[in-house]
Amino acid sequence: MNVYEAIMKRRTIRKFKQEKVEKEMLVGLVDCARMAAFGANMQPLKFAVIDDKNTLDLMFPSIKWAGYLADGAPKENERPAAYIAVLGDREIKPNGMFETDAGAAVTTMMLAAEEKGLATCWLGAIDRSALTDILNLPEKYSLVYLLAAGYPAQESKAVEMTDGNVKYFMDEDKVLNVPKRPLDEVLIKL
Ligand SMILES: Cc1cc2nc3c(=O)[nH]c(=O)nc-3n(C[C@H](O)[C@H](O)[C@H](O)COP(=O)(O)O)c2cc1C
């Protein structure tokens, strides 16, 4: 799979096989994340791989899934094998502006995961305060995002958006359809 194929094929997945993912693979994603582009090359992010069942279960209620779908959240037997917590280190970057760097890091991990056959879901609708407690995060870290990872138990595909409707939906074959604005809409002439 080349980079173009990974970009085009990658879709957010929210239902996962109950299969463990080798720790090495997850650490490999973090190894890719540290190579992302970072503003002023400050590299203010740290990453924690969480894959023990007890912590995963504690974290689950603090995460919101698939806001547009009634049935979009993973059921008990569809939950991800791991989360990678993306943390901002305020000792490196005291102004606490981590989102852009975290976006680059998460995207890099998602594409690296795609190549390895792993599915991911970028999670921003999270209860940061509750998760900070659950993970017992040291004071200097801000929880920016979580990335859920596991082997996919759901199909998702991009479809051309025709009506300006951004809401992803489940079709009759239980395939998630994700509307993407067409190239001639996003490419403008100045
Ligand atoms: C900043 C950000 C935050 C997100 N937060 C969540 C979230 O909390 N829960 C969720 O289910 N999906 C979340 N997503 C996934 C988006 O819903 C998904 O990327 C979007 O619907 C497009 O689908 P695609 O990734 O398959 O192209 C988030 C994505 C981004 C970029």
Side-chain angles (χ1 to χ4, degrees):
M1 180 184 292
N2 64 34
V3 177
Y4 177 82
E5 287 164 348
I7 290 168
M8 289 302 181
K9 195 165 159 279
R10 182 211 62 81
R11 298 273 67 80
T12 291
I13 293 295
R14 301 182 181 85
K15 291 169 187 285
F16 301 88
K17 288 187 185 151
Q18 300 305 284
E19 209 177 294
K20 208 170 161 54
V21 176
E22 290 297 323
K23 189 78 144 223
E24 240 177 37
M25 262 176 121
L26 299 163
V27 171
L29 300 184
V30 175
D31 195 30
C32 291
R34 76 190 175 88
M35 290 293 148
F38 295 112
N41 199 29
M42 287 183 78
Q43 304 168 62
L45 303 177
K46 302 288 165 65
F47 304 86
V49 174
I50 300 134
D51 66 351
D52 76 278
K53 170 96 175 88
N54 189 36
T55 314
L56 296 176
D57 286 348
L58 285 172
M59 292 171 72
F60 190 79
S62 300
I63 299 166
K64 289 206 175 77
W65 302 83
Y68 295 143
L69 299 175
D71 190 25
K75 299 197 172 59
E76 182 106 38
N77 61 351
E78 297 170 333
R79 294 184 183 180
Y83 298 109
I84 297 176
V86 181
L87 309 169
D89 185 334
R90 291 191 307 278
E91 280 180 3
I92 298 177
K93 201 174 181 201
N95 74 6
M97 293 177 68
F98 298 115
E99 278 81 2
T100 311
D101 287 337
V106 171
T107 303
T108 301
M109 290 194 284
M110 290 196 303
L111 292 177
E114 188 68 34
E115 194 208 7
K116 293 178 193 297
L118 283 179
T120 55
C121 181
W122 181 338
L123 296 163
I126 54 179
D127 182 338
R128 290 180 173 77
S129 157
L131 289 164
T132 296
D133 288 347
I134 292 164
L135 297 174
N136 208 9
L137 287 184
E139 174 61 29
K140 65 176 177 175
Y141 295 131
S142 300
L143 175 59
V144 191
Y145 296 120
L146 295 175
L147 182 67
Y151 291 101
Q154 173 180 48
E155 267 183 66
S156 178
K157 63 175 185 189
V159 291
E160 291 276 286
M161 189 189 293
T162 50
D163 49 7
N165 188 354
V166 298
K167 292 186 179 173
Y168 44 81
F169 58 94
M170 205 72 88
D171 67 21
E172 55 279 5
D173 299 320
K174 296 258 181 231
V175 174
L176 190 58
N177 286 231
V178 183
K180 297 289 182 185
R181 295 187 198 279
L183 180 59
D184 63 6
E185 181 187 335
V186 302
L187 180 66
I188 59 157
K189 282 204 180 84
L190 296 176

